[in-house]
Amino acid sequence: MSLIKFIDFPDLGDNRGSLIPVESVKQVPFEIKRVYFLTNLSADLPRGFHAHKELDQVAMCVSGNCRVLLDDGVKKEWVNLSSPTKALRIEPMIWHEMHGFSSDCVFMVFANEHYDEADYIRNYEDFLSKVEK
Ligand code: TYD
């Protein structure tokens, strides 16, 4: 089964522009406790390089584009994100990296928990040792 799970957000826009609602439990399949976004990014400064033990996240480029690597410890898959209506689910225990940010990229994330450093696995060898084979 693919690691890539897209969530399509409806665009209720009209000739004035796009309007994309994001509601807890509706478009995003959990109670949203935290929203954060990355901006002023550089193509040559990738981010992420961690997995979360329990955190569930939904991410998309509300502007611009980037490439995301998803890795469950067995297989790796790359996905391009380039639309504010196509979000990517990043589930627990998925190593993820974000690369190749366009200069206009705004990377938006919805998360089901508050920030907790103890939930991070930042070392790839630790991640592999924790993955159930
Ligand atoms: P980190 O998740 O390591 O960033 P990235 O994966 O994009 O490289 O976070 C960078 C720093 O910001 C780190 O010290 C933790 C802090 N942080 C918060 O305080 N709150 C948050 O919601 C997030 C995502 C990070």
Side-chain angles (χ1 to χ4, degrees):
M1 209 174 73
S2 175
L3 303 177
I4 300 167
K5 294 171 187 161
F6 284 121
I7 296 176
D8 291 313
F9 292 168
D11 185 346
L12 309 183
D14 54 29
N15 60 351
R16 298 167 298 170
S18 291
L19 192 160
I20 300 155
V22 181
E23 292 190 39
S24 204
V25 184
K26 286 190 171 177
Q27 291 87 2
V28 170
F30 49 69
E31 290 279 358
I32 298 168
K33 282 202 186 165
R34 176 164 55 110
V35 177
Y36 62 94
F37 52 93
L38 309 175
T39 185
N40 297 317
L41 299 160
S42 296
D44 56 355
L45 293 175
R47 303 196 59 139
F49 295 86
H50 60 249
H52 289 282
K53 296 172 193 163
E54 294 184 358
L55 189 71
D56 205 343
Q57 302 190 96
V58 168
M60 81 271 205
C61 291
V62 290
S63 169
N65 61 81
C66 70
R67 288 177 288 119
V68 181
L69 174 69
L70 301 177
D71 176 350
D72 66 358
V74 177
K75 63 177 178 292
K76 300 174 198 280
E77 291 185 62
W78 284 95
V79 56
N80 290 311
L81 292 184
S82 60
S83 168
T85 61
K86 207 162 193 69
L88 179 68
R89 182 107 177 244
I90 305 176
E91 291 178 304
M93 293 308 289
I94 299 291
W95 184 267
H96 51 283
E97 302 174 9
M98 292 83 79
H99 294 254
F101 299 107
S102 61
S103 56
D104 59 346
C105 184
V106 178
F107 190 82
M108 176 84 85
V109 183
F110 303 96
N112 73 336
E113 279 302 337
H114 296 136
Y115 171 73
D116 176 11
E117 183 60 34
D119 186 62
Y120 280 73
I121 305 168
R122 293 190 181 272
N123 178 284
Y124 190 68
E125 299 306 318
D126 288 349
F127 167 69
L128 288 181
S129 70
K130 288 186 167 68
V131 167
E132 288 178 6
K133 293 277 176 357

